[in-house]
Amino acid sequence: MFGASTRLGPVSPAAVTVDLVILTVREETLHVLLVERGNEPYRGLPALPGGYVRDGETLDAAAARELEEETGLAAHRLHLEQLRAYGEPGRDPRGRIFTVAYLALGPELPVPSAGTDARAALWSPVGPYLDGTDELAFDHGMILRDALERARSQLEYTTVAAAFCAEPFTVADLRRVYEVVWDVPLDPSNFRRKVTKAERFLVPTGDRRMLDAGRPAALYRRGDARLLSPPLLRGA
Amino acid sequence: MFGASTRLGPVSPAAVTVDLVILTVREETLHVLLVERGNEPYRGLPALPGGYVRDGETLDAAAARELEEETGLAAHRLHLEQLRAYGEPGRDPRGRIFTVAYLALGPELPVPSAGTDARAALWSPVGPYLDGTDELAFDHGMILRDALERARSQLEYTTVAAAFCAEPFTVADLRRVYEVVWDVPLDPSNFRRKVTKAERFLVPTGDRRMLDAGRPAALYRRGDARLLSPPLLRGA
DNA sequence: CTAGCTTAAAGTCAAGCTGACTTTAAATAG
DNA sequence: CTATTTAAAGTCAGCTTGACTTTAAGCTAG
């Protein structure tokens, strides 16, 4: 099975895992799902949820399985996409372990302790892990930074922002997603003009949502457009 | 080393390779570097160049090494970036082999037969592999399609198009890259206005290039900008 | 020398989009 | 009824865009 390694050079078998960056917006802040490590290495440090890819399992299936195990939610209800692979030789002290990172985006989710996996999983604001205040196990800090940059960029060119909103949602809900992920304030009026003009981004339900104060807001569901044209660029 | 597999389920060791999608523009057509397979499986079929990631080697280093072996060119002269990982259980009949695909872009390169690797490597137009006329080994057809879509998208938002041009180059050289990769004609005047206005995309050398006919064109080198703002969108 | 060809580069202009801002709408609380 | 709150629509100058025209600068044929 690995006969070619003789010709190609020293190649030992390796392990392949998937790691998940599950992002959500809670209380006007971007949160990531982390698990506390119960074993060495990095015992006690928070880490991204993940696990080995099993025999006969695709990468996407492994990511979906881990997602359901950690959140207790059906994976098809979240946006899930591959981020990239990481394989630095020293990234795991136990040996050569490659990981394929996935980015998952979802609306405010139930407290994840209901998951099958018994490890303590919790939502944490991403801030302290981005600015270096707090540490993550392995190279998960880098993976988190890459994932966030991907998410920020995706908001510009795609409709994934709606994946952060539980349906039905208002234009203001959607705007708050952009403001929290990009960490900039946006003009409500101009934002509305753009997202409602984009084809098949938002589908009006006809209903309205009434809060304790103010005019009721129209409610929408996600349209079937995947790309946003024209894009919604940050950095005026 | 793989002690955790008991708890996580059946996990056999796997092999990890890198595969390269090396693109260039020759004779007004987009070409990809392919090697003919000398062994089973898929003997005789063209495939993307690639090979096993060696012990102690990073993914990027493995990709750069394969690139130099196949093209005979110093990898730092080309644009090289990770595309994504592929790991379908059945993608290689020899066993569980994950591959991390890389996208490389470069100016018209010397005939790659000068490479260290003795396999027959050749530049092929991408067309027949995209529309299904010709087949590639393994899942390399899908990888090529993903790579091309990535390249097309990158041209919109980044300055990588200049990686296809040997320095120094003219605005018309750069425009031909866009036209070939996107497969659309562009207005020369409007194209010039945009790329010359973009900050740090093009650096004038002060020289001019004279062809057999027409006014001499100003020559440029690549600037240090990586992102294009505003972006250059296709699909008017 | 100059007319004519070729390609580069600059200019023109109406239409559309953007950002900053103002106005109107529709609900609740007191 | 009025103030308050949030939603949604409207205004407008300035910028960008796409389609197109004009000028520039080389060459070559006559």
Side-chain angles (χ1 to χ4, degrees):
Chain A
M1 172 171 170
F2 302 115
S5 56
T6 322
R7 189 169 57 80
L8 286 162
V11 177
S12 311
V16 178
T17 65
V18 292
D19 284 316
L20 296 176
V21 180
I22 312 171
L23 299 177
T24 195
V25 176
R26 346 180 85 207
E27 296 152 17
E28 311 278 291
T29 314
L30 190 64
H31 284 64
V32 59
L33 189 74
L34 299 176
V35 297
E36 189 176 330
R37 285 194 56 78
N39 303 315
E40 293 298 338
Y42 300 105
R43 173 178 230 137
L45 266 193
L48 298 173
Y52 289 93
V53 179
R54 296 182 181 164
D55 290 354
E57 189 176 50
T58 68
L59 289 165
D60 286 358
R65 174 177 52 77
E66 292 288 342
L67 179 60
E68 294 184 7
E69 288 179 8
E70 302 293 345
T71 65
L73 240 76
H76 68 267
R77 304 200 44 202
L78 301 200
H79 174 83
L80 182 63
E81 67 170 37
Q82 191 188 118
L83 179 60
R84 57 167 294 166
Y86 296 82
E88 288 291 308
R91 61 176 294 279
D92 190 319
R94 292 168 295 183
R96 192 72 200 260
I97 301 186
F98 295 88
T99 196
V100 180
Y102 276 76
L103 175 62
L105 308 178
E108 193 161 346
L109 300 166
V111 180
S113 50
T116 340
D117 201 311
R119 289 175 291 173
L122 61 138
W123 292 109
S124 307
V126 297
Y129 300 105
L130 296 178
D131 61 22
T133 306
D134 289 346
E135 293 275 319
L136 289 176
F138 307 106
D139 52 359
H140 291 184
M142 185 201 301
I143 297 176
L144 176 61
R145 275 186 291 275
D146 289 350
L148 183 57
E149 184 44 45
R150 169 84 131 247
R152 285 180 164 154
S153 166
Q154 295 261 56
L155 256 53
E156 296 188 294
Y157 308 117
T158 77
T159 60
V160 283
F164 282 104
C165 300
E167 292 184 319
F169 54 89
T170 68
V171 173
D173 292 337
L174 188 64
R175 177 168 48 82
R176 260 164 236 132
V177 169
Y178 276 88
E179 293 180 325
V180 164
V181 176
W182 284 351
D183 196 25
V184 292
L186 296 175
D187 182 281
S189 191
N190 294 336
F191 180 83
R192 164 186 316 281
R193 182 175 55 195
K194 287 188 180 183
V195 298
T196 54
K197 199 180 302 181
E199 292 283 318
R200 303 174 155 276
F201 186 10
L202 302 181
V203 180
T205 66
D207 279 340
R208 314 185 158 273
R209 172 182 297 162
M210 294 191 294
L211 296 164
D212 21 344
R215 172 177 172 172
L219 290 169
Y220 297 86
R221 296 187 182 281
R222 298 183 264 274
D224 56 9
R226 286 285 154 265
L227 290 173
L228 242 190
S229 64
L232 210 72
L233 303 173
R234 32 175 180 165
Chain B
M1 174 171 170
F2 301 114
S5 56
T6 322
R7 189 169 57 81
L8 286 161
V11 178
S12 310
V16 178
T17 66
V18 292
D19 284 317
L20 296 176
V21 181
I22 311 172
L23 299 177
T24 196
V25 176
R26 346 179 85 208
E27 296 152 16
E28 311 278 294
T29 315
L30 191 63
H31 284 65
V32 59
L33 189 74
L34 298 175
V35 297
E36 190 175 331
R37 284 194 56 79
N39 303 314
E40 293 298 337
Y42 300 105
R43 172 178 231 137
L45 266 193
L48 297 173
Y52 290 93
V53 178
R54 297 182 181 164
D55 290 354
E57 190 176 49
T58 67
L59 289 165
D60 287 359
R65 173 177 53 76
E66 292 288 342
L67 179 60
E68 295 184 7
E69 288 178 9
E70 301 293 345
T71 66
L73 240 76
H76 68 267
R77 302 201 45 201
L78 302 199
H79 174 83
L80 182 63
E81 66 170 38
Q82 191 188 120
L83 179 60
R84 56 167 292 165
Y86 296 82
E88 288 292 306
R91 61 177 295 277
D92 190 318
R94 291 168 294 183
R96 193 70 201 262
I97 302 187
F98 295 88
T99 196
V100 179
Y102 275 76
L103 175 62
L105 309 177
E108 193 161 347
L109 301 166
V111 179
S113 51
T116 341
D117 200 310
R119 289 176 290 174
L122 60 139
W123 292 110
S124 308
V126 297
Y129 300 105
L130 296 177
D131 61 22
T133 306
D134 290 345
E135 292 275 321
L136 289 177
F138 306 106
D139 52 359
H140 290 184
M142 184 201 302
I143 297 177
L144 176 61
R145 274 187 291 276
D146 289 350
L148 184 56
E149 184 45 44
R150 168 84 131 248
R152 284 178 165 154
S153 166
Q154 295 261 54
L155 256 54
E156 296 188 294
Y157 309 117
T158 76
T159 59
V160 284
F164 282 104
C165 299
E167 293 184 318
F169 55 88
T170 68
V171 172
D173 292 336
L174 188 65
R175 176 167 49 83
R176 259 163 237 131
V177 169
Y178 276 88
E179 293 179 326
V180 164
V181 176
W182 284 351
D183 196 25
V184 293
L186 297 176
D187 182 280
S189 191
N190 294 336
F191 180 83
R192 165 186 314 283
R193 182 176 55 195
K194 286 188 181 183
V195 297
T196 55
K197 200 181 300 180
E199 292 284 317
R200 302 174 155 274
F201 186 10
L202 302 182
V203 180
T205 66
D207 279 341
R208 313 186 157 274
R209 172 182 297 162
M210 296 193 291
L211 297 163
D212 21 345
R215 172 176 171 174
L219 290 169
Y220 297 86
R221 297 186 181 283
R222 298 184 264 274
D224 57 10
R226 286 285 153 265
L227 290 172
L228 242 190
S229 66
L232 210 73
L233 303 171
R234 28 172 184 167

